[in-house]
Amino acid sequence: MSTPDDEPAAARSRRSRTVVVSFLGSVVRRMGDWMPIAGTVDLMTQLGLDAPSVRTAVFRLKQRGWLAAESRGGARGYALTPLAAATLAAGDDLIWHARQPADLADGWCVVNFSVPESARAKRHALRGHLTHLGFGNIGTAMWIAPARLRPAAEQAIAELGLDKYAAIFVGDYVGGQDLTALLYSSWDLAGIDQAYRDFTGRYADVAADLESQAAIGPRQAFVTYLDVVDSWRKLPFRDPGLPREVLAPDWSAPAAGALFQKLVAILEGRALAHAAGYWPS
């Protein structure tokens, strides 16, 4: 295992940012939407992060409008802003419950758009929004997703003011190219599947070891919990939640999701209790 000194500065900075965001979503919101800066640094160093990179990550989140300086109980700290709270809440269902498979009988939503070069920035933004929502690209300016994503697509198009350049269709697959092959070429489903397998491979033995322990130390629980959350939270956003029938028989998402839920059940209460000791009384 590499130590912080072994990692390049850029890699340490990236890891600090992502771990701090995971900390905000899984711990700080449970602690009144506020964190003491000294306690946060102490907790983050328990995960192997160095204090300067943690402070830099916090500063950058403040610049992004996520954190506002606020003292409580005589301790300097930061409160989550409404922007941060809303952004974190928007991801809750996916992160903590994963994206459930769509119903094949509901059909598909297809979005086609032709945005002029004069609105190139909006065209790029729409592609980004559709990708984030879970749409896959099936051709030039042609995107597909389960039909349940139609309202989200309509909202994204309307917010960008691109209604007159886009068309949305909802319907069934009726034949032609093999549907599974089409979908696997529209998303990196093999990569998503491997990411779930990597998660399971990394944490299956961890869960078994935790279950076998007579007692789990508070610090061990906190460190493992944050590591698990930080490793997991991006995976559901990559997964479009396609109907089970169109995926490979050994699709690994259900097993990975069940393992994540097990680890949360084992660790969450102990981790939060440990973190609470670093908040002013």
Side-chain angles (χ1 to χ4, degrees):
M1 179 182 295
S2 63
T3 65
D5 290 340
D6 296 328
E7 292 182 293
R12 291 201 303 271
S13 178
R14 283 194 301 272
R15 180 163 183 256
S16 294
R17 285 199 301 273
T18 184
V19 172
V20 170
V21 170
S22 296
F23 178 69
L24 297 182
S26 62
V27 175
V28 174
R29 286 192 300 161
R30 315 291 181 85
M31 303 289 185
D33 291 341
W34 178 87
M35 65 184 192
I37 186 59
T40 294
V41 171
D42 287 345
L43 286 167
M44 294 298 97
T45 57
Q46 292 174 22
L47 286 120
L49 303 180
D50 62 277
S53 68
V54 173
R55 291 183 182 277
T56 298
V58 170
F59 175 73
R60 288 178 176 169
L61 286 166
K62 181 183 176 183
Q63 286 185 312
R64 287 172 53 188
W66 277 46
L67 297 172
E70 181 181 313
S71 295
R72 294 187 185 179
R76 293 175 55 247
Y78 291 92
L80 296 178
T81 65
L83 170 63
T87 303
L88 293 168
D92 278 350
D93 281 344
L94 283 185
I95 294 171
W96 300 105
H97 305 292
R99 199 189 299 267
Q100 297 304 305
D103 188 338
L104 184 61
D106 290 342
W108 301 90
C109 175
V110 175
V111 176
N112 176 251
F113 58 87
S114 180
V115 180
E117 187 64 19
S118 59
R120 179 194 301 178
K122 287 189 175 184
R123 181 174 64 204
H124 180 74
L126 180 56
R127 289 174 182 155
H129 283 323
L130 292 176
T131 299
H132 180 74
L133 289 172
F135 278 76
N137 186 219
I138 55 174
T140 304
M142 187 79 72
W143 298 75
I144 188 172
R148 65 187 179 187
L149 289 181
R150 171 188 167 185
E154 290 176 333
Q155 180 178 349
I157 291 167
E159 287 178 352
L160 289 168
L162 296 177
D163 305 70
K164 65 181 180 181
Y165 299 116
I168 300 175
F169 305 88
V170 172
D172 297 327
Y173 166 79
V174 296
Q177 184 178 353
D178 178 73
L179 181 58
T180 294
L182 172 66
L183 298 176
Y184 267 78
S185 67
S186 302
W187 284 271
D188 182 18
L189 294 178
I192 294 169
D193 182 70
Q194 186 59 53
Y196 281 129
R197 292 180 188 279
D198 291 344
F199 180 87
T200 301
R202 181 176 177 182
Y203 291 107
D205 288 345
V206 172
D209 181 60
L210 290 169
E211 289 182 309
S212 70
Q213 292 184 31
I216 301 171
R219 176 168 174 159
Q220 177 194 10
F222 174 78
V223 169
T224 307
Y225 177 67
L226 255 293
D227 184 57
V228 167
V229 171
D230 192 55
S231 297
W232 170 263
R233 69 180 177 86
K234 298 182 185 69
L235 301 186
F237 287 97
R238 294 182 60 195
D239 186 350
L242 300 182
R244 192 67 185 83
E245 298 93 326
V246 302
L247 297 168
D250 60 348
W251 179 246
S252 58
L259 176 60
F260 174 69
Q261 295 294 338
K262 176 188 288 188
L263 286 162
V264 169
I266 294 171
L267 296 167
E268 185 176 52
R270 295 177 174 90
L272 293 175
H274 177 70
Y278 291 79
W279 261 247
S281 57

